[in-house]
Amino acid sequence: MKMTLSNLLLTVCTLMLFNKSIAQKEVLIEAERFIDKGGWVIDPQFVEQMGSPYLMAHGMGVPVANASTSIQFNEEGTYHVWARTKNWAPGNWDAPGQFKIIVNGKALKNTLGSTPGWSWEYAGKTRVTSTDVEIQLSDLTGFNGRCDAIYFSQSKKMPQDSDSKLDTWRKSLLSETSIPEKEQAYDLVVTGGGIAGCAAAIAAAEQGLRVALIHDRPVLGGNASEEIRVHTLGIYGKFERILKMIDTKHYPNGSFEAKYDQKKRDKNVKKFKNIDLFLNWRAYDATAKNNVITHVDAKHTASGERIRFTAPRFVDSTGDGWIGFWAGADFSYGRESATTYGEEWDEWGELWSPEEADNFVMGSSLIFQSTETNETQTFPHLLWAADIAEDHQSVNGEWYWEFSRNDLHQIHDAEEIRDHMLRAIYGSFSNAKKLDKNKNYKLEWVSYLVGKRESRRLIGDHIFTFNDVKNLTKFKDAVVEESREVDVHFQSNLKDSSVPDFLSTAIFYETEKYYIPYRSLYSKNIENLFMAGRNFSCSHIGLGGPRVMLTTGQMGAAVGIASAICKKYNVNPREVYTHHLQEYLDLIEKQR
């Protein structure tokens, strides 16, 4: 294994963290900190639900290369080994995500990944006869085995498994606290590196602000990234120059061509010397005092290093509204009743807007692609996927591979939603492979990142609704414009029970150009918080049009420019509207 400087530093930091544990004859290893990830990937999407990033063997049916790391023990002896993992598709069949732990070249006795829900599984015991110990994760199936952490102890007692105590136990063994090791100050902190977040960072940087852009993936773009591969839709409005730095061509969703736009986007953001880009950093807290955010705390998804980001103003482009949520911002979730804002459409009834409010929102998608080769490709029959896919057959999946259900929350239950979609994909592809015409097809790419459409919507001074579209309201503070049709989704099985539950249908409302006011882009009750992206201030139906990425990119550029007015006059976002609106709008006009 090639030892780079960054790997060496990670090893040193990791060993320092283990000192206290070793003295207590127990060692906790966070899997995401493995030095060599092999073919395993870091999945940080569900930290708020299960406590940590984890490693996942996303091999699309082909076992991935081993992940490995090395640690040092101060004391030889017999150690019991546990892994925190889960059987992500439990049932009367072999678990899909099985793996083993190898210690110093010897596989431990028990196969892991068999228990439903995140828990500690016993891997076996091992005799440590050297201070240098090598640990490997060996994937057995290629179907999304996952490992959160590994625990060595000279006692066979199961590690702490209570959700309420697990975080404290982790920090104790690793000698960590929630307080970041260092603090960095900026003019503007943008959290979320999707199209909206990138546009906000660029627009602010061009106005001379020093910007931190925090993003929990290795590449920028969010749903437009090469990791999720959705092309950008909408119009450029008054920000064409900025948005063309970060948009995509109109390739088919899921196309490998996303990598070309990825290179363009990353290059264009990185060229700004006053944007400090924090890739693979995930925000985990935002603190507000007297309705003013003082800082955002973020943690590196692999090393565990923490930084506190301070600034006079912040942008929430997380999609899920995390910064606003942690800071105490008002927000909404789900579908309002048809009478709340008068958004009913009789032709579509409950599928458009319900009589009573509920928790349905537009769902999350996983897109996938296969390729036709010159020889026969095998793919197994998967009992654990068959009950989801049923008799559905497909070799590719587009935007309409989408899942939402009234009893599942798009944030709290996001891992279950993602896993449901993985089972649908693998099962449908397995069914398709039974047909002779598909014998040469093999899976080429399956996203494991949830492509979300809707979750929390932070509340601003104006809540944008469907009526603003129908009436073509020309707000005096209009900063975003769009002409693409309103596009609201529902699960197809709600209308036709014969359709599987993981496919959706779109309802389109054709419209002329409509406008979104600046007042929908800052928080009603958190004085220094902007929002840009699908978590802007709107109703469920109001989100139907502006949720596409060029429109949210316009939002990002608009708040980036507003932040420059805020800095110039030392005012909060609302005062840009109340005291400096014309100067702000004039500055936007200069962006063309």
Side-chain angles (χ1 to χ4, degrees):
M1 178 180 68
K2 184 178 180 180
M3 178 61 74
T4 64
L5 177 59
S6 60
N7 282 340
L8 178 60
L9 291 173
L10 178 59
T11 304
V12 171
C13 292
T14 303
L15 294 177
M16 290 173 65
L17 290 174
F18 290 154
N19 285 344
K20 180 178 178 181
S21 302
I22 291 170
Q24 298 173 344
K25 299 181 181 179
E26 53 183 345
V27 177
L28 177 66
I29 305 159
E30 294 282 11
E32 67 271 17
R33 302 187 192 184
F34 269 44
I35 297 169
D36 182 356
K37 309 299 189 297
W40 296 64
V41 296
I42 295 178
D43 191 340
Q45 299 174 91
F46 316 115
V47 170
E48 289 77 21
Q49 292 76 46
M50 53 77 60
S52 173
Y54 57 82
L55 286 187
M56 184 167 68
H58 185 57
M60 299 178 291
V62 179
V64 304
N66 289 3
S68 64
T69 197
S70 297
I71 63 172
Q72 287 189 322
F73 280 65
N74 283 351
E75 184 173 326
E76 299 178 1
T78 299
Y79 286 82
H80 297 275
V81 185
W82 301 76
R84 189 166 186 254
T85 181
K86 72 181 294 186
N87 178 355
W88 63 272
N92 189 26
W93 45 68
D94 291 336
Q98 299 177 56
F99 67 98
K100 278 185 174 280
I101 294 176
I102 299 172
V103 180
N104 287 336
K106 183 177 180 181
L108 300 186
K109 179 180 179 181
N110 295 331
T111 298
L112 305 169
S114 62
T115 305
W118 282 103
S119 62
W120 292 98
E121 293 186 15
Y122 185 63
K125 62 182 180 180
T126 185
R127 178 71 183 172
V128 172
T129 59
S130 169
T131 56
D132 295 319
V133 177
E134 183 187 58
I135 305 165
Q136 297 182 64
L137 298 178
S138 177
D139 174 31
L140 301 179
T141 70
F143 285 117
N144 301 88
R146 52 203 74 178
C147 181
D148 169 28
I150 299 172
Y151 175 68
F152 285 75
S153 175
Q154 291 189 355
S155 166
K156 196 179 179 181
K157 183 180 178 181
M158 178 183 285
Q160 179 58 249
D161 204 31
S162 166
D163 289 342
S164 61
K165 298 178 180 179
L166 182 60
D167 185 56
T168 301
W169 179 80
R170 286 183 195 264
K171 291 173 181 174
S172 175
L173 283 184
L174 298 175
S175 299
E176 291 183 342
T177 69
S178 294
I179 301 174
E181 297 86 353
K182 59 183 178 180
E183 183 176 301
Q184 296 182 202
Y186 294 88
D187 296 319
L188 183 70
V189 172
V190 181
T191 306
I195 296 299
C198 289
I202 290 173
E206 288 187 337
Q207 297 300 317
L209 274 66
R210 186 163 179 255
V211 181
L213 178 55
I214 306 167
H215 188 52
D216 64 357
R217 299 302 306 165
V219 293
L220 294 166
N223 283 349
S225 74
E226 66 178 342
E227 296 186 310
I228 300 179
R229 303 187 184 181
V230 176
H231 54 238
T232 55
L233 290 175
I235 65 174
Y236 294 107
K238 298 176 180 179
F239 306 102
E240 181 173 357
R241 181 184 54 79
I242 290 175
L243 295 181
K244 281 193 171 181
M245 297 184 197
I246 55 178
D247 68 348
T248 74
K249 294 181 179 178
H250 197 80
Y251 51 73
N253 289 327
S255 170
F256 75 94
E257 294 179 273
K259 67 182 181 181
Y260 301 120
D261 292 319
Q262 188 68 64
K263 292 178 181 178
K264 175 192 75 172
R265 182 181 310 115
D266 290 354
K267 178 182 177 181
N268 283 332
V269 173
K270 291 176 181 178
K271 74 181 182 183
F272 289 92
K273 294 182 179 179
N274 52 335
I275 296 178
D276 285 352
L277 181 57
F278 294 87
L279 294 176
N280 293 313
W281 285 81
R282 186 175 180 90
Y284 62 88
D285 194 18
T287 299
K289 295 181 179 179
N290 299 319
N291 293 325
V292 175
I293 298 175
T294 58
H295 59 262
V296 165
D297 292 340
K299 182 178 180 180
H300 194 276
T301 57
S303 71
E305 180 186 2
R306 299 171 192 254
I307 297 177
R308 174 160 291 173
F309 296 86
T310 64
R313 281 157 288 276
F314 298 81
V315 179
D316 189 333
S317 289
T318 63
D320 286 333
W322 280 114
I323 305 305
F325 176 75
W326 290 321
D330 294 337
F331 70 92
S332 59
Y333 181 94
R335 302 193 301 175
E336 298 87 359
S337 69
T339 58
T340 300
Y341 299 114
E343 296 177 296
E344 65 276 357
W345 188 358
D346 291 341
E347 179 182 347
W348 290 97
E350 288 278 319
L351 296 175
W352 176 263
S353 191
E355 290 187 11
E356 295 184 7
D358 59 27
N359 285 325
F360 262 119
V361 294
M362 286 180 280
S364 297
S365 287
L366 292 189
I367 296 173
F368 69 101
Q369 274 202 339
S370 63
T371 186
E372 189 171 12
T373 69
N374 294 321
E375 56 187 10
T376 300
Q377 303 288 333
T378 60
F379 196 80
H381 174 64
L382 307 170
L383 286 175
W384 49 266
D387 65 325
I388 302 297
E390 298 180 333
D391 59 356
H392 189 71
Q393 304 167 353
S394 184
V395 294
N396 292 299
E398 252 278 10
W399 62 265
Y400 49 83
W401 284 67
E402 176 182 353
F403 186 48
S404 179
R405 209 168 65 201
N406 202 20
D407 63 330
L408 292 177
H409 195 283
Q410 291 290 319
I411 298 174
H412 307 321
D413 302 310
E415 187 176 23
E416 181 178 347
I417 290 168
R418 190 275 307 274
D419 291 346
H420 186 91
M421 293 303 296
L422 286 176
R423 293 171 72 181
I425 289 168
Y426 294 138
S428 297
F429 185 75
S430 180
N431 290 338
K433 287 290 292 178
K434 297 174 184 176
L435 304 178
D436 187 66
K437 67 178 182 179
N438 297 323
K439 66 181 181 180
N440 290 354
Y441 277 87
K442 72 172 183 177
L443 279 177
E444 180 180 52
W445 175 80
V446 178
S447 177
Y448 63 91
L449 298 174
V450 177
K452 292 184 182 179
R453 288 178 177 82
E454 181 180 8
S455 55
R456 294 190 192 102
R457 306 182 299 274
L458 303 180
I459 297 176
D461 279 352
H462 179 82
I463 297 174
F464 184 80
T465 73
F466 180 51
N467 290 321
D468 294 326
V469 177
K470 287 196 302 182
N471 299 330
L472 305 178
T473 308
K474 294 185 178 180
F475 303 96
K476 70 175 183 178
D477 59 331
V479 292
V480 175
E481 55 192 47
E482 187 53 73
S483 57
R484 181 182 179 272
E485 65 271 19
V486 174
D487 172 12
V488 176
H489 295 191
F490 67 89
Q491 296 307 118
S492 300
N493 67 329
L494 296 177
K495 188 174 182 181
D496 181 353
S497 60
S498 68
V499 179
D501 67 357
F502 50 83
L503 300 178
S504 71
T505 298
I507 304 172
F508 294 103
Y509 176 87
E510 299 293 336
T511 178
E512 299 176 30
K513 183 181 289 186
Y514 60 89
Y515 305 88
I516 298 171
Y518 169 68
R519 285 166 294 154
S520 294
L521 305 181
Y522 61 83
S523 171
K524 179 180 181 179
N525 67 307
I526 300 299
E527 295 180 8
N528 61 340
L529 178 63
F530 293 104
M531 52 268 196
R534 60 182 175 83
N535 55 290
F536 87 107
S537 179
C538 62
S539 67
H540 163 72
I541 298 297
L543 182 64
R547 64 183 175 78
V548 295
M549 285 182 279
L550 289 181
T551 324
T552 62
Q554 291 185 57
M555 297 177 196
V559 302
I561 292 169
S563 69
I565 300 291
C566 289
K567 181 182 179 183
K568 180 178 179 179
Y569 295 105
N570 191 27
V571 296
N572 63 37
R574 179 177 288 114
E575 289 173 297
V576 173
Y577 172 73
T578 59
H579 293 88
H580 306 283
L581 180 59
Q582 192 57 53
E583 182 178 354
Y584 172 46
L585 296 177
D586 289 344
L587 190 55
I588 287 178
E589 287 295 326
K590 294 178 182 179
Q591 304 306 308
R592 289 180 180 273

